[in-house]
PDB file of all heavy atoms in Angstrom:
ATOM      1  N   VAL A 232      18.353   6.122   7.553  1.00  0.00           N
ATOM      2  CA  VAL A 232      18.397   5.715   8.992  1.00  0.00           C
ATOM      3  C   VAL A 232      18.050   6.996   9.789  1.00  0.00           C
ATOM      4  O   VAL A 232      17.308   6.905  10.832  1.00  0.00           O
ATOM      5  CB  VAL A 232      19.793   5.227   9.266  1.00  0.00           C
ATOM      6  CG1 VAL A 232      19.966   5.109  10.835  1.00  0.00           C
ATOM      7  CG2 VAL A 232      19.967   3.790   8.699  1.00  0.00           C
ATOM      8  N   LYS A 233      18.649   8.149   9.456  1.00  0.00           N
ATOM      9  CA  LYS A 233      18.340   9.347  10.241  1.00  0.00           C
ATOM     10  C   LYS A 233      16.854   9.716  10.245  1.00  0.00           C
ATOM     11  O   LYS A 233      16.322  10.107  11.279  1.00  0.00           O
ATOM     12  CB  LYS A 233      19.126  10.504   9.582  1.00  0.00           C
ATOM     13  CG  LYS A 233      20.614  10.430   9.664  1.00  0.00           C
ATOM     14  CD  LYS A 233      21.152  10.992  11.001  1.00  0.00           C
ATOM     15  CE  LYS A 233      21.219  12.443  11.027  1.00  0.00           C
ATOM     16  NZ  LYS A 233      21.913  13.029  12.207  1.00  0.00           N
ATOM     17  N   TYR A 234      16.162   9.411   9.133  1.00  0.00           N
ATOM     18  CA  TYR A 234      14.759   9.683   9.060  1.00  0.00           C
ATOM     19  C   TYR A 234      13.999   8.795  10.069  1.00  0.00           C
ATOM     20  O   TYR A 234      13.146   9.201  10.792  1.00  0.00           O
ATOM     21  CB  TYR A 234      14.288   9.401   7.664  1.00  0.00           C
ATOM     22  CG  TYR A 234      12.764   9.579   7.473  1.00  0.00           C
ATOM     23  CD1 TYR A 234      12.165  10.824   7.169  1.00  0.00           C
ATOM     24  CD2 TYR A 234      11.946   8.455   7.582  1.00  0.00           C
ATOM     25  CE1 TYR A 234      10.761  10.936   7.086  1.00  0.00           C
ATOM     26  CE2 TYR A 234      10.557   8.616   7.507  1.00  0.00           C
ATOM     27  CZ  TYR A 234      10.054   9.777   7.206  1.00  0.00           C
ATOM     28  OH  TYR A 234       8.646   9.929   7.079  1.00  0.00           O
ATOM     29  N   VAL A 235      14.325   7.476  10.033  1.00  0.00           N
ATOM     30  CA  VAL A 235      13.686   6.519  10.975  1.00  0.00           C
ATOM     31  C   VAL A 235      13.874   6.877  12.331  1.00  0.00           C
ATOM     32  O   VAL A 235      12.975   6.878  13.251  1.00  0.00           O
ATOM     33  CB  VAL A 235      14.105   5.080  10.620  1.00  0.00           C
ATOM     34  CG1 VAL A 235      13.512   4.148  11.656  1.00  0.00           C
ATOM     35  CG2 VAL A 235      13.678   4.696   9.193  1.00  0.00           C
ATOM     36  N   GLN A 236      15.182   7.265  12.681  1.00  0.00           N
ATOM     37  CA  GLN A 236      15.537   7.647  14.061  1.00  0.00           C
ATOM     38  C   GLN A 236      14.805   8.924  14.473  1.00  0.00           C
ATOM     39  O   GLN A 236      14.317   9.054  15.614  1.00  0.00           O
ATOM     40  CB  GLN A 236      17.018   7.762  14.236  1.00  0.00           C
ATOM     41  CG  GLN A 236      17.789   6.511  14.024  1.00  0.00           C
ATOM     42  CD  GLN A 236      19.262   6.708  14.002  1.00  0.00           C
ATOM     43  OE1 GLN A 236      19.786   7.649  13.483  1.00  0.00           O
ATOM     44  NE2 GLN A 236      20.034   5.742  14.525  1.00  0.00           N
ATOM     45  N   ALA A 237      14.705   9.909  13.610  1.00  0.00           N
ATOM     46  CA  ALA A 237      14.014  11.160  13.899  1.00  0.00           C
ATOM     47  C   ALA A 237      12.554  10.971  14.200  1.00  0.00           C
ATOM     48  O   ALA A 237      12.062  11.595  15.124  1.00  0.00           O
ATOM     49  CB  ALA A 237      14.242  12.200  12.744  1.00  0.00           C
ATOM     50  N   TYR A 238      11.923  10.200  13.397  1.00  0.00           N
ATOM     51  CA  TYR A 238      10.469   9.876  13.718  1.00  0.00           C
ATOM     52  C   TYR A 238      10.320   9.058  14.980  1.00  0.00           C
ATOM     53  O   TYR A 238       9.318   9.212  15.720  1.00  0.00           O
ATOM     54  CB  TYR A 238       9.816   9.105  12.524  1.00  0.00           C
ATOM     55  CG  TYR A 238       9.189  10.129  11.517  1.00  0.00           C
ATOM     56  CD1 TYR A 238      10.001  10.948  10.699  1.00  0.00           C
ATOM     57  CD2 TYR A 238       7.866  10.284  11.466  1.00  0.00           C
ATOM     58  CE1 TYR A 238       9.450  11.911   9.822  1.00  0.00           C
ATOM     59  CE2 TYR A 238       7.255  11.217  10.590  1.00  0.00           C
ATOM     60  CZ  TYR A 238       8.072  11.991   9.812  1.00  0.00           C
ATOM     61  OH  TYR A 238       7.481  12.917   9.003  1.00  0.00           O
ATOM     62  N   ALA A 239      11.275   8.160  15.279  1.00  0.00           N
ATOM     63  CA  ALA A 239      11.181   7.395  16.475  1.00  0.00           C
ATOM     64  C   ALA A 239      11.179   8.317  17.743  1.00  0.00           C
ATOM     65  O   ALA A 239      10.580   8.040  18.709  1.00  0.00           O
ATOM     66  CB  ALA A 239      12.323   6.386  16.554  1.00  0.00           C
ATOM     67  N   ARG A 240      11.971   9.393  17.644  1.00  0.00           N
ATOM     68  CA  ARG A 240      11.999  10.342  18.786  1.00  0.00           C
ATOM     69  C   ARG A 240      10.666  10.982  18.983  1.00  0.00           C
ATOM     70  O   ARG A 240      10.427  11.577  20.088  1.00  0.00           O
ATOM     71  CB  ARG A 240      13.127  11.326  18.519  1.00  0.00           C
ATOM     72  CG  ARG A 240      14.566  10.766  18.737  1.00  0.00           C
ATOM     73  CD  ARG A 240      15.548  11.871  18.778  1.00  0.00           C
ATOM     74  NE  ARG A 240      15.824  12.482  17.436  1.00  0.00           N
ATOM     75  CZ  ARG A 240      16.756  11.932  16.567  1.00  0.00           C
ATOM     76  NH1 ARG A 240      17.430  10.842  16.903  1.00  0.00           N
ATOM     77  NH2 ARG A 240      16.949  12.574  15.411  1.00  0.00           N
ATOM     78  N   HIS A 241       9.814  10.977  18.023  1.00  0.00           N
ATOM     79  CA  HIS A 241       8.429  11.497  18.232  1.00  0.00           C
ATOM     80  C   HIS A 241       7.453  10.350  18.548  1.00  0.00           C
ATOM     81  O   HIS A 241       6.225  10.608  18.577  1.00  0.00           O
ATOM     82  CB  HIS A 241       7.977  12.212  16.912  1.00  0.00           C
ATOM     83  CG  HIS A 241       8.651  13.520  16.704  1.00  0.00           C
ATOM     84  ND1 HIS A 241       8.164  14.727  17.176  1.00  0.00           N
ATOM     85  CD2 HIS A 241       9.805  13.851  15.988  1.00  0.00           C
ATOM     86  CE1 HIS A 241       8.978  15.676  16.801  1.00  0.00           C
ATOM     87  NE2 HIS A 241       9.968  15.195  16.075  1.00  0.00           N
ATOM     88  N   GLY A 242       7.926   9.157  18.820  1.00  0.00           N
ATOM     89  CA  GLY A 242       7.085   8.088  19.181  1.00  0.00           C
ATOM     90  C   GLY A 242       6.378   7.440  17.964  1.00  0.00           C
ATOM     91  O   GLY A 242       5.324   6.787  18.133  1.00  0.00           O
ATOM     92  N   ILE A 243       6.998   7.581  16.805  1.00  0.00           N
ATOM     93  CA  ILE A 243       6.448   7.036  15.558  1.00  0.00           C
ATOM     94  C   ILE A 243       7.370   5.985  15.027  1.00  0.00           C
ATOM     95  O   ILE A 243       8.545   6.327  14.653  1.00  0.00           O
ATOM     96  CB  ILE A 243       6.286   8.174  14.485  1.00  0.00           C
ATOM     97  CG1 ILE A 243       5.305   9.199  15.063  1.00  0.00           C
ATOM     98  CG2 ILE A 243       5.718   7.522  13.228  1.00  0.00           C
ATOM     99  CD1 ILE A 243       5.352  10.514  14.313  1.00  0.00           C
ATOM    100  N   ARG A 244       6.966   4.773  14.938  1.00  0.00           N
ATOM    101  CA  ARG A 244       7.798   3.685  14.412  1.00  0.00           C
ATOM    102  C   ARG A 244       7.488   3.533  12.938  1.00  0.00           C
ATOM    103  O   ARG A 244       6.449   3.217  12.479  1.00  0.00           O
ATOM    104  CB  ARG A 244       7.483   2.363  15.119  1.00  0.00           C
ATOM    105  CG  ARG A 244       8.348   1.174  14.571  1.00  0.00           C
ATOM    106  CD  ARG A 244       8.080  -0.091  15.407  1.00  0.00           C
ATOM    107  NE  ARG A 244       8.904  -1.180  14.895  1.00  0.00           N
ATOM    108  CZ  ARG A 244       8.386  -2.172  14.158  1.00  0.00           C
ATOM    109  NH1 ARG A 244       7.125  -2.140  13.828  1.00  0.00           N
ATOM    110  NH2 ARG A 244       9.229  -3.112  13.632  1.00  0.00           N
TER     111      ARG A 244
END
Side-chain angles (χ1 to χ4, degrees):
V232 167
K233 294 275 281 189
Y234 176 88
V235 174
Q236 292 172 328
Y238 268 72
R240 286 192 285 272
H241 287 273
I243 301 162
R244 179 173 181 260

